Amino acid sequence: MTALPLISLRSVSRTYRTDGIAVTAVRNVSFDIAPGEIVAVMGPSGSGKSTLMNMIGLLDLPSEGAVHLEGANVAALSEDRRSSLRARSIGFVFQSYNLLARHNAVENVALPLVYCGVSRKERLARAEQSLQAVGMLHRAHHFPRQLSGGEQQRVAIARALIASPLIVLADEPTGALDSRTGAEILALFAALNRTGQTIVMITHDPGIATQCRRTIRLHDGELVSDETVAELLPRRSAAS
Amino acid sequence: MTMLQGFQIALHALRLNPLRSFLTMLGIVIGVASIVTVFAIGSGAQLRLQEQIRSIGANVLMITPGAVYQGGVRLKDGSKLTMTEGDVQAILEQIPEIQAAAGSLAGTAQVIHEGKNWNTTINGTTTGHFMVRDWQLASGRYFSGAEESGAGKVVILGSTVARELFAPGDDPIGAQIRIMKVPLEVVGVLDRKGPAQDDVAFVPLSTAKLRFLGSASNINRDSVAYIIAKVAADGQMAGARAEIESLLRQRHRIPAGQEDDFKVQDPAAAMEAQQGAIRTVALLLVAIASVSLLVGGISIMNVMIVSVTERTREIGIRRALGGRMRDIRLQFLCEALVLCLLGGAIGVAGGITLSMTVARMAGWVTSIDGEAIGLALAFSIATGLIFGFYPAHKASRLSPIEALKTE
Ligand SMILES: Nc1ncnc2c1ncn2[C@@H]1O[C@H](COP(=O)(O)OP(=O)(O)OP(=O)(O)O)[C@@H](O)[C@H]1O
Ligand SMILES: [Mg+2]
């Protein structure tokens, strides 16, 4: 890889301690992510995928080792600085969408910009652009309960994209959707990646993983494989 | 996130649950409304007292009839006129601290001028009365010596009586008015002193006795109903009072051990004491109202804690999307503040309405001052900050990962 890594993990471990019992969710994991990559993270349930994702997303810190974002050790940053970086540099997409039920689509999409100090007028203008990019502008003033799962996930993706983040982190973004809708969401991610957006996506679905150039596999918190394919397989049809 | 955004988010959240928001702020509403009302009534009462104190004049002692014994039976205070013009003379001449003194006889009567007539207090007295009360003339003159000794047919009008009897352009000086069929010439009109004071007409004491009260059987030729006396300086009040008491006991031949047949009062001091009592009662009521504010604060804290728990996931989402701990704290603090401020504003409006209703229905003077409103609002802001801080702090300390996992 020639480009400077966007994210780099060096011997990262994360151990949870509850009532004297230590659970190591991630153990000695190292890898880099370069700008423009799309990476699938796979592994059985409980293998540490979400824990890993939380550390990449600056929501959590490693117990050992170091996570670097654009060369800076995130553990050395203040809590406030990590929060600001989440607003500006990281876009989260969750399995359960996590839209605010009491705000409409455009307000949900604009939310990260509240924490970037952007004026309300500009927030809403940019949120509309972002909704346009995921094909949801016509539902801008609908509330989450008025939208289907796939539509909510599109709004959530628009929200993740609004601050033009360095990286989009998606934790099983299609996990709650039927395969057809899931394929549409996946196509959206693929299209975003073609415009240069770096994406890391947790998935259980091997079919989805084959759409990504690079796949990282975890097992019991350890990295068991990290494969990059030269050529993507032809896209599977949604019906199969 | 700015304060303004915090308030916008807070308003949005509170609008979604208007009934709950209103019930939450009810304690604050009641507390603030009570404080504003109590202040309005209390400061109204104080204003009225202060006006009365001013209208009496500074350093004035008032001597009224006291208990009288007739055949061993104690009669009601004031049932017999025990003071005389001789007492007035003696007080003036023998007590150096007394600058001026005057005796008065008073009653009510109809005063008539051409087509107009007006029922008012007729006070028979001497020019000394106006000196004691520092009461200046708006026009004309006081009584002359000849008028005072010779039952002159002259009258000095209080400003209310002058207004009622004469048209605005008319000069009352020199005009003839009639009181109980006696024609009198208006020689003076007094300055305004206050609504309760200005409704009066003064005639010379001798005129009152000879022409109006001649038939009253219980009145001795020399009697006066009360005496007012002006003491030269504030510090001499107590001394002058003691001297008047011993002088009058001696003149009235009251044996040692028997009750005085007169009372010497310091009306300003009595009113100041009353003012102090009003202040004490008002403070007590404010203390009670503060308890309501406290209960209101606790209720806000309670609802905020529930709200933080209910909205844990929202907090997790906001933290993941870049909200700093202080942004979350500000958001919930703003909610508590908005509740308290809104409650405070409603309370102020309610308090103003309530005190105006009290003023109308009970006929009390009330006065709403900015200070009381400012104090009430400051109280409610303080309540919001104090009781909002803990829930807001709790919200800000939530781990974003844990918060995102909750349902
Ligand atoms: N707060 C915590 N305290 C203790 N143990 C935890 C905590 N969070 C996660 N774990 C443990 O860490 C391990 C990895 O959890 P993680 O959520 O990362 O798995 P995952 O790969 O995302 O699983 P899934 O596919 O089911 O989402 C699990 O064994 C889990 O029990
Ligand atoms: Mg997971």
Side-chain angles (χ1 to χ4, degrees):
Chain A
M1 253 173 280
T2 50
L4 188 81
L6 193 58
I7 304 278
S8 113
L9 278 73
R10 288 289 165 269
S11 314
V12 167
S13 297
R14 178 68 172 97
T15 304
Y16 294 107
R17 275 192 188 77
T18 331
D19 301 330
I21 303 162
V23 178
T24 301
V26 169
R27 195 188 303 268
N28 197 26
V29 169
S30 302
F31 61 84
D32 288 348
I33 296 170
E37 278 196 289
I38 179 162
V39 182
V41 177
M42 292 196 73
S45 185
S47 58
K49 305 182 296 294
S50 296
T51 304
L52 189 68
M53 190 73 106
N54 287 338
M55 289 189 283
I56 298 173
L58 313 188
L59 283 169
D60 199 4
L61 291 173
S63 315
E64 280 162 60
V67 174
H68 295 265
L69 175 68
E70 289 194 308
N73 184 349
V74 301
L77 304 172
S78 71
E79 173 68 36
D80 280 0
R81 182 79 191 112
R82 282 196 295 272
S83 297
S84 298
L85 279 174
R86 283 201 296 275
R88 289 162 213 273
S89 306
I90 303 207
F92 282 101
V93 178
F94 305 92
Q95 179 175 353
S96 51
Y97 328 126
N98 277 338
L99 299 175
L100 296 183
R102 302 186 294 182
H103 293 259
N104 64 23
V106 70
E107 285 167 349
N108 264 288
V109 172
L111 192 55
L113 296 185
V114 168
Y115 301 114
C116 297
V118 175
S119 76
R120 183 174 164 80
K121 204 171 155 227
E122 193 190 332
R123 284 205 302 272
L124 293 180
R126 280 171 64 179
E128 286 182 0
Q129 282 173 21
S130 204
L131 278 171
Q132 170 103 63
V134 298
M136 285 297 292
L137 186 56
H138 60 299
R139 310 297 294 272
H141 296 285
H142 284 185
F143 286 83
R145 63 170 181 282
Q146 297 169 308
L147 302 173
S148 74
E151 288 163 344
Q152 288 189 57
Q153 197 60 301
R154 282 175 185 274
V155 172
I157 292 168
R159 182 178 67 184
L161 294 173
I162 191 163
S164 311
L166 295 174
I167 186 164
V168 169
L169 301 176
D171 193 341
E172 297 185 46
T174 61
L177 302 172
D178 61 55
S179 57
R180 186 197 178 88
T181 317
E184 283 169 19
I185 294 296
L186 192 68
L188 185 57
F189 277 116
L192 282 172
N193 179 241
R194 279 195 292 280
T195 67
Q197 178 68 58
T198 313
I199 298 170
V200 175
M201 192 183 339
I202 294 178
T203 180
H204 276 299
D205 184 344
I208 290 177
T210 55
Q211 305 282 311
C212 299
R213 197 179 280 275
R214 180 178 173 197
T215 303
I216 288 173
R217 286 174 205 279
L218 293 181
H219 192 83
D220 279 347
E222 290 183 77
L223 192 148
V224 291
S225 75
D226 182 351
E227 294 167 349
T228 305
V229 293
E231 280 301 316
L232 277 180
L233 297 172
R235 212 181 136 212
R236 295 195 312 172
S237 90
S240 64
Chain B
M1 193 171 80
T2 63
M3 197 82 184
L4 183 67
Q5 287 171 336
F7 279 118
Q8 283 168 352
I9 295 173
L11 277 174
H12 181 93
L14 298 175
R15 257 209 315 270
L16 291 168
N17 227 329
L19 181 63
R20 172 155 123 183
S21 303
F22 179 73
L23 291 177
T24 306
M25 57 176 118
L26 204 55
I28 302 288
V29 171
I30 293 171
V32 168
S34 320
I35 289 179
V36 170
T37 310
V38 166
F39 265 87
I41 293 172
S43 59
Q46 293 219 357
L47 275 184
R48 209 168 60 171
L49 272 177
Q50 274 162 8
E51 191 213 289
Q52 284 173 357
I53 291 170
R54 244 199 326 276
S55 68
I56 293 164
N59 303 337
V60 172
L61 289 174
M62 185 163 183
I63 305 137
T64 54
V68 179
Y69 289 85
Q70 243 171 25
V73 180
R74 187 186 191 278
L75 301 180
K76 195 167 160 272
D77 278 9
S79 52
K80 190 158 176 257
L81 299 185
T82 54
M83 253 88 61
T84 64
E85 289 180 60
D87 291 338
V88 178
Q89 268 323 106
I91 287 169
L92 257 180
E93 283 164 8
Q94 296 178 31
I95 301 175
E97 294 94 323
I98 300 298
Q99 279 187 329
S104 275
L105 278 171
T108 59
Q110 208 70 14
V111 288
I112 301 163
H113 173 248
E114 291 169 355
K116 297 179 174 177
N117 71 74
W118 182 249
N119 191 279
T120 189
T121 303
I122 311 298
N123 192 324
T125 190
T126 59
T127 300
H129 187 102
F130 309 110
M131 310 298 121
V132 172
R133 296 179 68 183
D134 301 316
W135 205 346
Q136 308 300 317
L137 287 161
S139 62
R141 59 172 177 83
Y142 294 121
F143 305 130
S144 70
E147 286 159 356
E148 285 191 350
S149 55
K153 292 185 182 182
V154 289
V155 63
I156 295 175
L157 302 180
S159 64
T160 304
V161 179
R163 195 183 60 233
E164 290 299 332
L165 293 187
F166 294 89
D170 275 5
D171 183 12
I173 306 298
Q176 290 280 328
I177 66 164
R178 276 181 302 131
I179 300 176
M180 291 165 76
K181 300 200 181 97
V182 181
L184 299 165
E185 184 194 343
V186 178
V187 294
V189 174
L190 291 164
D191 263 349
R192 289 154 161 269
K193 219 173 183 13
Q197 313 300 319
D198 292 337
D199 191 1
V200 65
F202 290 97
V203 297
L205 181 58
S206 54
T207 311
K209 283 184 178 170
L210 187 70
R211 305 192 191 277
F212 303 139
L213 304 166
S215 57
S217 58
N218 67 332
I219 293 175
N220 180 311
R221 260 193 53 75
D222 205 23
S223 292
V224 293
Y226 64 90
I227 299 170
I228 53 175
K230 188 178 191 63
V231 180
D234 206 20
Q236 298 171 340
M237 291 293 278
R241 183 181 184 148
E243 283 183 71
I244 290 172
E245 280 167 354
S246 74
L247 176 68
L248 291 183
R249 280 181 76 87
Q250 185 191 326
R251 284 181 57 85
H252 295 188
R253 298 183 213 296
I254 297 168
Q258 190 179 316
E259 222 178 317
D260 293 346
D261 63 355
F262 61 88
K263 281 189 299 197
V264 182
Q265 289 165 312
D266 178 348
M271 283 179 184
E272 269 159 25
Q274 206 178 335
Q275 207 169 6
I278 289 176
R279 206 172 298 137
T280 310
V281 172
L283 276 179
L284 194 72
L285 290 173
V286 167
I288 293 169
S290 309
V291 171
S292 165
L293 222 47
L294 183 76
V295 172
I298 292 171
S299 131
I300 283 182
M301 178 148 94
N302 183 33
V303 171
M304 292 298 299
I305 288 174
V306 171
S307 164
V308 167
T309 311
E310 278 178 356
R311 287 155 68 192
T312 300
R313 199 177 180 86
E314 174 188 333
I315 294 164
I317 294 169
R318 287 181 180 275
R319 292 281 279 122
L321 298 183
R324 294 166 301 179
M325 288 168 78
R326 72 171 89 139
D327 295 325
I328 304 298
R329 191 164 55 223
L330 183 64
Q331 177 186 340
F332 282 91
L333 209 50
C334 281
E335 259 187 59
L337 268 181
V338 166
L339 277 173
C340 285
L341 270 177
L342 226 58
I346 297 173
V348 165
I352 291 173
T353 314
L354 192 66
S355 59
M356 278 176 6
T357 311
V358 165
R360 196 166 332 110
M361 302 210 340
W364 296 354
V365 179
T366 61
S367 140
I368 290 148
D369 51 359
E371 225 172 284
I373 292 173
L375 189 76
L377 287 180
F379 256 128
S380 43
I381 291 173
T383 308
L385 286 177
I386 291 167
F387 292 97
F389 186 81
Y390 173 70
H393 184 67
K394 199 173 127 106
S396 75
R397 295 292 301 269
L398 287 173
S399 141
I401 301 170
E402 299 306 319
L404 278 169
K405 282 182 187 165
T406 58
E407 259 326 299

